Protein backbone atom coordinates (compact mmCIF):
# COMPACT_ATOMS: atom_id res chain seq x y z
CA UNK A 1 0.00 0.00 0.00
CA UNK A 2 1.34 3.46 -0.94
CA UNK A 3 2.04 6.24 1.60
CA UNK A 4 -1.04 8.10 0.40
CA UNK A 5 -3.19 5.02 0.81
CA UNK A 6 -1.86 4.46 4.33
CA UNK A 7 -2.74 8.02 5.28
CA UNK A 8 -6.24 7.87 3.86
CA UNK A 9 -6.89 4.21 4.59
CA UNK A 10 -8.19 3.73 1.07
CA UNK A 11 -7.12 2.48 -2.31
CA UNK A 12 -8.57 3.75 -5.57
CA UNK A 13 -8.80 0.41 -7.37
CA UNK A 14 -10.89 1.74 -10.28
CA UNK A 15 -13.31 -1.17 -10.09
CA UNK A 16 -15.92 -1.16 -12.83
CA UNK A 17 -19.08 -2.55 -11.21
CA UNK A 18 -19.16 -1.10 -7.69
CA UNK A 19 -19.90 2.39 -6.37
CA UNK A 20 -16.99 4.77 -5.77
CA UNK A 21 -16.90 5.36 -1.98
CA UNK A 22 -17.65 8.89 -0.76
CA UNK A 23 -14.16 9.20 0.75
CA UNK A 24 -12.69 8.78 -2.75
CA UNK A 25 -14.81 11.54 -4.28
CA UNK A 26 -12.92 14.57 -5.56
CA UNK A 27 -13.30 18.32 -6.01
CA UNK A 28 -15.49 19.24 -8.99
CA UNK A 29 -12.49 20.70 -10.83
CA UNK A 30 -11.11 17.24 -11.67
CA UNK A 31 -14.18 15.78 -13.43
CA UNK A 32 -14.67 19.21 -15.05
CA UNK A 33 -11.15 19.01 -16.48
CA UNK A 34 -11.87 15.51 -17.79
CA UNK A 35 -15.10 16.83 -19.33
CA UNK A 36 -13.09 19.59 -20.98
CA UNK A 37 -10.65 17.02 -22.29
CA UNK A 38 -13.55 14.92 -23.55
CA UNK A 39 -14.77 17.86 -25.64
CA UNK A 40 -11.29 18.76 -26.88
CA UNK A 41 -11.47 16.47 -29.87
CA UNK A 42 -11.02 16.43 -33.62
CA UNK A 43 -14.71 15.58 -34.30
CA UNK A 44 -15.61 18.92 -32.64
CA UNK A 45 -13.39 20.75 -35.14
CA UNK A 46 -14.80 18.60 -37.94
CA UNK A 47 -18.39 19.36 -36.92
CA UNK A 48 -17.62 23.08 -36.76
CA UNK A 49 -16.17 22.84 -40.25
CA UNK A 50 -19.28 21.01 -41.53
CA UNK A 51 -21.44 23.81 -40.09
CA UNK A 52 -19.34 26.44 -41.86
CA UNK A 53 -19.82 24.63 -45.16
CA UNK A 54 -23.58 25.20 -44.73
CA UNK A 55 -24.03 28.37 -42.64
CA UNK A 56 -22.62 31.85 -42.14
CA UNK A 57 -20.74 32.52 -38.90
CA UNK A 58 -23.66 34.30 -37.21
CA UNK A 59 -25.94 31.27 -37.74
CA UNK A 60 -23.16 28.94 -36.59
CA UNK A 61 -22.92 31.01 -33.38
CA UNK A 62 -26.62 30.64 -32.60
CA UNK A 63 -26.64 26.92 -33.48
CA UNK A 64 -23.81 26.40 -30.98
CA UNK A 65 -25.40 28.61 -28.32
CA UNK A 66 -28.73 26.75 -28.39
CA UNK A 67 -27.09 23.32 -28.64
CA UNK A 68 -24.52 23.76 -25.88
CA UNK A 69 -25.65 26.46 -23.43
CA UNK A 70 -29.35 25.52 -23.50
CA UNK A 71 -29.70 21.81 -24.31
CA UNK A 72 -26.35 20.18 -23.60
CA UNK A 73 -25.63 21.88 -20.28
CA UNK A 74 -29.00 20.87 -18.83
CA UNK A 75 -28.65 17.30 -20.14
CA UNK A 76 -25.13 16.86 -18.76
CA UNK A 77 -26.01 18.38 -15.38
CA UNK A 78 -29.02 16.07 -14.91
CA UNK A 79 -27.36 12.86 -16.09
CA UNK A 80 -24.04 13.71 -14.43
CA UNK A 81 -25.81 14.08 -11.09
CA UNK A 82 -27.03 10.47 -11.45
CA UNK A 83 -23.43 9.25 -11.43
CA UNK A 84 -22.39 11.49 -8.53
CA UNK A 85 -25.42 10.52 -6.43
CA UNK A 86 -24.88 6.78 -6.83
CA UNK A 87 -21.14 6.50 -7.54
CA UNK A 88 -22.03 4.02 -10.31
CA UNK A 89 -20.72 3.82 -13.89
CA UNK A 90 -23.21 4.49 -16.71
CA UNK A 91 -23.65 0.99 -18.14
CA UNK A 92 -24.04 -0.41 -14.60
CA UNK A 93 -26.49 2.33 -13.58
CA UNK A 94 -28.69 1.18 -16.48
CA UNK A 95 -29.38 -2.04 -14.53
CA UNK A 96 -31.93 -0.19 -12.40
CA UNK A 97 -34.18 0.62 -15.35
CA UNK A 98 -33.27 -1.92 -18.03
CA UNK A 99 -32.43 -4.85 -15.78
CA UNK A 100 -29.15 -6.67 -15.19
CA UNK A 101 -29.25 -8.80 -18.34
CA UNK A 102 -30.39 -6.07 -20.75
CA UNK A 103 -27.98 -3.49 -19.32
CA UNK A 104 -25.11 -5.91 -19.85
CA UNK A 105 -25.87 -7.11 -23.36
CA UNK A 106 -27.81 -4.24 -24.93
CA UNK A 107 -26.85 -0.99 -23.21
CA UNK A 108 -23.30 -2.12 -22.46
CA UNK A 109 -22.67 -3.13 -26.06
CA UNK A 110 -24.30 0.02 -27.47
CA UNK A 111 -22.13 2.30 -25.33
CA UNK A 112 -19.09 0.19 -26.20
CA UNK A 113 -19.61 0.35 -29.97
CA UNK A 114 -20.40 4.09 -30.04
CA UNK A 115 -17.37 4.83 -27.85
CA UNK A 116 -15.36 2.60 -30.15
CA UNK A 117 -16.60 4.56 -33.15
CA UNK A 118 -15.56 7.91 -31.66
CA UNK A 119 -12.18 6.53 -30.71
CA UNK A 120 -11.57 5.06 -34.18
CA UNK A 121 -12.64 8.31 -35.91
CA UNK A 122 -10.20 10.42 -33.93
CA UNK A 123 -7.37 7.93 -34.25
CA UNK A 124 -7.86 7.88 -38.03
CA UNK A 125 -7.70 11.70 -38.30
CA UNK A 126 -4.70 11.93 -35.99
CA UNK A 127 -2.83 9.30 -38.01
CA UNK A 128 -3.41 11.38 -41.15
CA UNK A 129 -2.36 14.61 -39.38
CA UNK A 130 0.91 13.17 -38.08
CA UNK A 131 1.64 11.64 -41.50
CA UNK A 132 1.05 15.05 -43.09
CA UNK A 133 3.38 16.64 -40.54
CA UNK A 134 6.18 14.32 -41.72
CA UNK A 135 5.39 15.07 -45.36
CA UNK A 136 4.03 11.58 -46.04
CA UNK A 137 1.39 11.17 -48.76
CA UNK A 138 -0.98 9.24 -46.52
CA UNK A 139 -3.53 8.76 -49.30
CA UNK A 140 -1.08 6.68 -51.32
CA UNK A 141 1.25 5.25 -48.66
CA UNK A 142 -0.97 3.00 -46.54
CA UNK A 143 1.95 1.17 -44.90
CA UNK A 144 3.36 4.29 -43.24
CA UNK A 145 -0.14 5.54 -42.40
CA UNK A 146 -0.92 2.22 -40.70
CA UNK A 147 2.30 2.34 -38.66
CA UNK A 148 1.75 5.94 -37.52
CA UNK A 149 -1.95 5.33 -36.73
CA UNK A 150 -1.13 2.23 -34.67
CA UNK A 151 1.52 4.06 -32.61
CA UNK A 152 -0.85 7.00 -32.02
CA UNK A 153 -3.66 4.64 -31.00
CA UNK A 154 -1.54 2.77 -28.45
CA UNK A 155 -0.27 6.01 -26.92
CA UNK A 156 -3.82 7.39 -26.81
CA UNK A 157 -5.04 4.38 -24.83
CA UNK A 158 -2.19 4.11 -22.30
CA UNK A 159 -3.57 6.49 -19.60
CA UNK A 160 -7.06 4.96 -19.78
CA UNK A 161 -5.58 1.48 -19.44
CA UNK A 162 -3.75 2.66 -16.32
CA UNK A 163 -6.99 4.16 -14.94
CA UNK A 164 -8.84 7.29 -13.83
CA UNK A 165 -6.02 8.78 -11.75
CA UNK A 166 -3.60 8.99 -14.67
CA UNK A 167 -6.33 10.39 -16.94
CA UNK A 168 -6.94 13.58 -14.98
CA UNK A 169 -3.26 14.56 -15.03
CA UNK A 170 -3.11 14.01 -18.79
CA UNK A 171 -6.02 16.44 -19.20
CA UNK A 172 -4.40 19.06 -16.98
CA UNK A 173 -1.39 19.09 -19.32
CA UNK A 174 -3.17 18.63 -22.65
CA UNK A 175 -6.10 21.06 -22.38
CA UNK A 176 -3.88 24.18 -22.10
CA UNK A 177 -1.84 22.91 -25.06
CA UNK A 178 -5.06 22.57 -27.03
CA UNK A 179 -5.94 26.18 -26.25
CA UNK A 180 -2.68 27.15 -27.95
CA UNK A 181 -3.85 25.24 -31.04
CA UNK A 182 -7.11 27.23 -31.02
CA UNK A 183 -5.29 30.54 -30.71
CA UNK A 184 -2.97 29.62 -33.58
CA UNK A 185 -5.88 28.62 -35.80
CA UNK A 186 -7.63 31.95 -35.20
CA UNK A 187 -4.42 33.88 -35.87
CA UNK A 188 -3.73 32.09 -39.16
CA UNK A 189 -7.30 32.53 -40.39
CA UNK A 190 -7.26 36.24 -39.55
CA UNK A 191 -3.91 36.57 -41.29
CA UNK A 192 -5.06 34.74 -44.44
CA UNK A 193 -8.73 35.73 -44.67
CA UNK A 194 -9.39 38.72 -42.42
CA UNK A 195 -12.49 39.30 -40.26
CA UNK A 196 -14.49 40.94 -43.03
CA UNK A 197 -14.20 37.80 -45.15
CA UNK A 198 -15.25 35.63 -42.22
CA UNK A 199 -18.21 37.84 -41.27
CA UNK A 200 -19.50 37.99 -44.85
CA UNK A 201 -19.18 34.23 -45.44
CA UNK A 202 -22.53 32.96 -46.79
CA UNK A 203 -22.23 29.45 -48.31
CA UNK A 204 -25.02 27.57 -50.03
CA UNK A 205 -27.12 26.02 -47.28
CA UNK A 206 -27.86 22.31 -47.79
CA UNK A 207 -29.19 21.47 -44.32
CA UNK A 208 -31.72 23.21 -42.06
CA UNK A 209 -30.98 25.19 -38.88
CA UNK A 210 -32.50 22.36 -36.79
CA UNK A 211 -30.33 19.82 -38.62
CA UNK A 212 -27.32 21.91 -37.62
CA UNK A 213 -28.37 21.68 -33.98
CA UNK A 214 -28.82 17.92 -34.42
CA UNK A 215 -25.26 17.66 -35.77
CA UNK A 216 -23.84 19.38 -32.69
CA UNK A 217 -25.99 17.30 -30.34
CA UNK A 218 -25.03 14.14 -32.23
CA UNK A 219 -21.45 14.99 -31.33
CA UNK A 220 -22.36 15.35 -27.64
CA UNK A 221 -25.56 13.44 -26.86
CA UNK A 222 -23.71 10.21 -26.05
CA UNK A 223 -22.43 12.05 -22.97
CA UNK A 224 -25.94 11.85 -21.50
CA UNK A 225 -25.45 8.11 -21.11
CA UNK A 226 -21.68 8.16 -20.47
CA UNK A 227 -20.86 11.06 -18.14
CA UNK A 228 -21.66 8.95 -15.08
CA UNK A 229 -18.38 7.10 -15.68
CA UNK A 230 -16.59 10.26 -14.48
CA UNK A 231 -19.10 12.06 -12.25
CA UNK A 232 -19.11 8.94 -10.08
CA UNK A 233 -15.83 10.38 -8.77
CA UNK A 234 -17.54 13.72 -7.98
CA UNK A 235 -19.28 14.68 -4.76
CA UNK A 236 -23.09 14.20 -4.79
CA UNK A 237 -23.86 17.91 -4.64
CA UNK A 238 -26.28 19.61 -7.01
CA UNK A 239 -24.06 22.70 -7.22
CA UNK A 240 -20.98 20.67 -8.22
CA UNK A 241 -22.83 18.81 -10.93
CA UNK A 242 -24.24 22.02 -12.38
CA UNK A 243 -20.71 23.44 -12.59
CA UNK A 244 -18.95 20.31 -13.92
CA UNK A 245 -20.49 20.51 -17.46
CA UNK A 246 -18.80 23.91 -17.77
CA UNK A 247 -15.75 21.87 -18.78
CA UNK A 248 -17.63 20.69 -21.87
CA UNK A 249 -19.33 24.00 -22.67
CA UNK A 250 -16.27 26.15 -21.99
CA UNK A 251 -14.10 24.05 -24.29
CA UNK A 252 -16.70 22.94 -26.82
CA UNK A 253 -18.20 26.32 -27.74
CA UNK A 254 -14.92 28.01 -28.82
CA UNK A 255 -13.61 24.82 -30.42
CA UNK A 256 -16.72 24.29 -32.59
CA UNK A 257 -16.48 27.97 -33.56
CA UNK A 258 -12.77 27.71 -34.40
CA UNK A 259 -13.44 24.66 -36.58
CA UNK A 260 -16.03 26.74 -38.43
CA UNK A 261 -13.78 29.81 -38.77
CA UNK A 262 -10.85 27.72 -40.03
CA UNK A 263 -13.11 26.28 -42.71
CA UNK A 264 -14.33 29.67 -43.96
CA UNK A 265 -13.32 30.40 -47.53
CA UNK A 266 -12.22 26.85 -48.32
CA UNK A 267 -15.51 24.96 -48.36
CA UNK A 268 -13.45 22.14 -46.89
CA UNK A 269 -14.48 20.03 -43.87
CA UNK A 270 -11.33 17.85 -43.68
CA UNK A 271 -9.47 19.33 -40.70
CA UNK A 272 -6.08 17.97 -41.82
CA UNK A 273 -6.44 19.58 -45.25
CA UNK A 274 -7.64 22.81 -43.61
CA UNK A 275 -4.55 22.93 -41.38
CA UNK A 276 -2.30 22.27 -44.36
CA UNK A 277 -4.03 25.01 -46.38
CA UNK A 278 -3.53 27.44 -43.50
CA UNK A 279 0.19 26.51 -43.35
CA UNK A 280 0.09 25.31 -39.76
CA UNK A 281 3.60 24.87 -38.32
CA UNK A 282 4.86 21.40 -37.37
CA UNK A 283 4.18 21.98 -33.70
CA UNK A 284 0.53 22.66 -34.56
CA UNK A 285 0.09 19.06 -35.70
CA UNK A 286 1.84 17.85 -32.54
CA UNK A 287 -0.53 19.88 -30.37
CA UNK A 288 -3.47 18.47 -32.37
CA UNK A 289 -2.27 15.02 -31.34
CA UNK A 290 -1.80 16.08 -27.71
CA UNK A 291 -5.20 17.76 -27.43
CA UNK A 292 -6.88 14.78 -29.10
CA UNK A 293 -5.34 12.57 -26.44
CA UNK A 294 -7.66 14.09 -23.84
CA UNK A 295 -10.87 12.88 -25.45
CA UNK A 296 -9.34 9.61 -26.62
CA UNK A 297 -8.50 8.44 -23.13
CA UNK A 298 -12.09 9.16 -22.08
CA UNK A 299 -13.48 7.18 -25.01
CA UNK A 300 -11.23 4.18 -24.43
CA UNK A 301 -11.86 4.25 -20.66
CA UNK A 302 -15.62 4.16 -21.28
CA UNK A 303 -15.14 1.29 -23.73
CA UNK A 304 -13.40 -0.70 -21.02
CA UNK A 305 -16.13 0.03 -18.45
CA UNK A 306 -18.86 -0.98 -20.91
CA UNK A 307 -17.13 -4.27 -21.73
CA UNK A 308 -16.53 -4.91 -18.03
CA UNK A 309 -20.27 -4.53 -17.44
CA UNK A 310 -21.13 -6.81 -20.37
CA UNK A 311 -18.80 -9.58 -19.23
CA UNK A 312 -19.40 -8.91 -15.51
CA UNK A 313 -15.73 -8.23 -14.74
CA UNK A 314 -15.17 -6.00 -11.71
CA UNK A 315 -11.40 -5.88 -11.15
CA UNK A 316 -9.24 -2.94 -12.18
CA UNK A 317 -6.90 -5.35 -13.98
CA UNK A 318 -9.78 -6.90 -15.91
CA UNK A 319 -11.02 -3.43 -16.94
CA UNK A 320 -7.50 -2.55 -18.16
CA UNK A 321 -7.28 -5.71 -20.29
CA UNK A 322 -10.70 -5.08 -21.84
CA UNK A 323 -9.67 -1.47 -22.56
CA UNK A 324 -6.61 -2.77 -24.42
CA UNK A 325 -8.77 -5.18 -26.45
CA UNK A 326 -11.09 -2.31 -27.40
CA UNK A 327 -8.06 -0.25 -28.40
CA UNK A 328 -6.84 -2.94 -30.80
CA UNK A 329 -10.31 -3.22 -32.39
CA UNK A 330 -10.46 0.60 -32.68
CA UNK A 331 -7.13 0.75 -34.50
CA UNK A 332 -8.48 -1.79 -36.99
CA UNK A 333 -11.57 0.38 -37.62
CA UNK A 334 -9.43 3.50 -38.00
CA UNK A 335 -7.38 1.80 -40.70
CA UNK A 336 -10.53 0.40 -42.32
CA UNK A 337 -11.89 3.80 -43.42
CA UNK A 338 -14.36 4.68 -40.64
CA UNK A 339 -13.72 8.40 -41.20
CA UNK A 340 -15.85 8.54 -44.36
CA UNK A 341 -18.98 7.83 -42.28
CA UNK A 342 -18.49 10.80 -39.90
CA UNK A 343 -21.76 12.70 -40.46
CA UNK A 344 -23.88 9.55 -40.45
CA UNK A 345 -22.22 8.54 -37.19
CA UNK A 346 -23.21 11.86 -35.60
CA UNK A 347 -26.87 11.45 -36.54
CA UNK A 348 -26.96 7.79 -35.41
CA UNK A 349 -25.53 8.77 -32.00
CA UNK A 350 -28.34 11.28 -31.53
CA UNK A 351 -30.97 8.76 -32.58
CA UNK A 352 -29.81 6.04 -30.18
CA UNK A 353 -28.70 7.86 -27.05
CA UNK A 354 -31.63 10.23 -26.54
CA UNK A 355 -34.17 7.44 -25.86
CA UNK A 356 -31.75 5.50 -23.64
CA UNK A 357 -31.10 8.62 -21.57
CA UNK A 358 -34.86 9.27 -21.38
CA UNK A 359 -35.56 5.87 -19.83
CA UNK A 360 -32.66 6.16 -17.36
CA UNK A 361 -33.63 9.70 -16.26
CA UNK A 362 -37.29 8.77 -15.78
CA UNK A 363 -36.42 5.68 -13.76
CA UNK A 364 -33.79 7.35 -11.58
CA UNK A 365 -35.66 10.54 -10.64
CA UNK A 366 -39.32 9.51 -10.71
CA UNK A 367 -39.42 5.78 -9.93
CA UNK A 368 -36.20 4.92 -8.09
CA UNK A 369 -36.23 8.26 -6.14
CA UNK A 370 -32.53 8.93 -6.82
CA UNK A 371 -31.34 5.52 -5.69
CA UNK A 372 -29.68 2.62 -7.48
CA UNK A 373 -30.91 -0.97 -7.51
CA UNK A 374 -29.14 -3.80 -9.32
CA UNK A 375 -32.36 -5.29 -10.68
CA UNK A 376 -32.10 -8.81 -12.09
CA UNK A 377 -33.76 -9.83 -15.32
CA UNK A 378 -34.95 -7.82 -18.31
CA UNK A 379 -37.36 -4.90 -18.16
CA UNK A 380 -39.42 -5.10 -21.34
CA UNK A 381 -41.08 -1.77 -20.62
CA UNK A 382 -37.66 -0.13 -20.95
CA UNK A 383 -36.99 -2.06 -24.17
CA UNK A 384 -40.29 -1.07 -25.78
CA UNK A 385 -40.19 2.61 -24.80
CA UNK A 386 -36.55 2.91 -25.87
CA UNK A 387 -37.37 1.28 -29.21
CA UNK A 388 -40.32 3.63 -29.80
CA UNK A 389 -38.07 6.60 -29.02
CA UNK A 390 -35.42 5.38 -31.46
CA UNK A 391 -38.06 4.82 -34.17
CA UNK A 392 -39.44 8.34 -33.69
CA UNK A 393 -35.93 9.82 -33.75
CA UNK A 394 -35.16 7.95 -36.98
CA UNK A 395 -38.43 9.07 -38.59
CA UNK A 396 -37.90 12.73 -37.66
CA UNK A 397 -34.26 12.60 -38.81
CA UNK A 398 -34.43 10.67 -42.08
CA UNK A 399 -38.06 10.22 -43.20
CA UNK A 400 -39.75 13.51 -42.31
CA UNK A 401 -37.16 15.95 -40.97
CA UNK A 402 -38.69 17.70 -38.00
CA UNK A 403 -37.54 19.24 -34.74
CA UNK A 404 -34.49 18.02 -32.82
CA UNK A 405 -34.65 14.19 -32.85
CA UNK A 406 -32.34 13.60 -29.88
CA UNK A 407 -34.37 15.89 -27.60
CA UNK A 408 -37.90 14.97 -28.60
CA UNK A 409 -37.13 11.22 -28.55
CA UNK A 410 -35.70 11.63 -25.02
CA UNK A 411 -38.89 13.24 -23.70
CA UNK A 412 -41.16 10.82 -25.55
CA UNK A 413 -39.28 7.84 -24.08
CA UNK A 414 -39.44 9.41 -20.61
CA UNK A 415 -43.20 9.97 -20.74
CA UNK A 416 -44.00 6.57 -22.26
CA UNK A 417 -41.79 4.82 -19.70
CA UNK A 418 -43.44 6.54 -16.73
CA UNK A 419 -46.98 5.89 -18.02
CA UNK A 420 -46.24 2.24 -18.86
CA UNK A 421 -44.50 1.58 -15.53
CA UNK A 422 -47.41 3.10 -13.63
CA UNK A 423 -49.83 0.78 -15.46
CA UNK A 424 -47.53 -2.19 -14.83
CA UNK A 425 -47.35 -1.37 -11.11
CA UNK A 426 -51.15 -1.63 -10.87
CA UNK A 427 -51.58 -4.71 -13.07
CA UNK A 428 -48.46 -6.85 -12.67
CA UNK A 429 -45.90 -5.41 -10.20
CA UNK A 430 -42.37 -6.82 -10.14
CA UNK A 431 -38.84 -5.84 -9.04
CA UNK A 432 -38.79 -2.96 -11.52
CA UNK A 433 -41.92 -1.30 -10.13
CA UNK A 434 -41.18 -1.89 -6.44
CA UNK A 435 -38.81 0.69 -4.98
CA UNK A 436 -36.66 -0.17 -1.97
CA UNK A 437 -35.54 3.10 -0.44
CA UNK A 438 -32.46 3.16 1.80
CA UNK A 439 -33.11 4.07 5.40
Amino acid sequence: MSTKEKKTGQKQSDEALVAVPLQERQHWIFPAMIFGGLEFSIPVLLTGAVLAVNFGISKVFWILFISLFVIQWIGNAVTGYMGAKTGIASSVLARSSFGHVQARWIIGLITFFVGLGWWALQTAVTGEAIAAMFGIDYKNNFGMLALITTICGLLFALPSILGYSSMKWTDIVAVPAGLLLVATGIYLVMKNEGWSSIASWQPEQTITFMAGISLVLGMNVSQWVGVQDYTRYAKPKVKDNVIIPLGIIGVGFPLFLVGAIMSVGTGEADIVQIMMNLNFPVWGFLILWLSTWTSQIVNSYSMGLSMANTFNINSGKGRAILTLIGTIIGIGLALGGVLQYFEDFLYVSGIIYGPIAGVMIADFFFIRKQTYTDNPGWNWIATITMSIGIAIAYWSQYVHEWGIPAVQSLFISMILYLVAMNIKRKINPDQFTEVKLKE
Side-chain angles (χ1 to χ4, degrees), residues 21 123 126 174 199 217 249 265 329 354-355 358-359:
T123 301
T126 307
L217 290 179
I249 311 304
I329 298 172
V359 170

Side-chain angles (χ1 to χ4, degrees), residues 1 8 95 130 132 206 209 213 215 226 278 313 322 357-358 412 419 427:
M1 184 177 288
T8 61
R95 295 179 180 183
I130 299 300
T206 60
F209 188 88
I213 293 177
L215 269 178
L278 290 173
I313 295 174
L322 291 173
I412 289 170
V419 171
I427 298 175

Side-chain angles (χ1 to χ4, degrees), residues 27-41 44 68-69 72-74 76-77 80 171-172 174-176 178-179 182 219-220 223 227 230-231 239-256 291 294-295 298:
H27 193 275
W28 63 262
I29 191 67
F30 291 109
M33 287 293 291
I34 287 182
F35 273 29
L38 168 65
E39 196 71 4
F40 226 124
S41 64
V44 170
L68 298 176
F69 281 92
Q72 194 64 36
W73 198 327
I74 294 173
N76 276 35
D171 286 325
I172 288 172
V175 170
L179 293 174
V182 168
M219 170 70 222
N220 285 296
Q223 296 164 7
V227 294
Y230 311 99
T231 56
K239 182 194 73 173
D240 284 16
N241 288 275
V242 170
I243 296 174
I244 288 171
L246 183 60
I248 287 175
I249 311 304
V251 171
F253 188 84
L255 200 62
F256 276 113
S291 59
T294 63
S295 56
V298 172

Side-chain angles (χ1 to χ4, degrees), residues 155-171:
L155 289 174
F156 278 151
L158 183 59
S160 54
I161 291 172
L162 294 176
Y164 181 90
S165 297
S166 65
M167 291 166 57
K168 65 184 181 184
W169 296 114
T170 305
D171 286 325

Side-chain angles (χ1 to χ4, degrees), residues 48 61 95 110 130 144 163 166 207 213 221 228 246 286 311 353 362 369 388 412 419:
F61 176 89
R95 295 179 180 183
I110 286 175
I130 299 300
M144 286 302 298
S166 65
I207 62 175
I213 293 177
V221 74
Q228 300 91 346
L246 183 60
L286 287 173
F311 297 107
Y353 274 102
K369 307 300 181 183
I388 292 173
I412 289 170
V419 171

Side-chain angles (χ1 to χ4, degrees), residues 414-433:
M414 278 184 63
I415 294 169
L416 289 177
Y417 182 79
L418 290 174
V419 171
M421 288 294 284
N422 187 52
I423 294 172
K424 183 180 181 181
R425 181 183 292 112
K426 295 177 180 178
I427 298 175
N428 186 27
D430 60 9
Q431 72 271 22
F432 295 105
T433 60

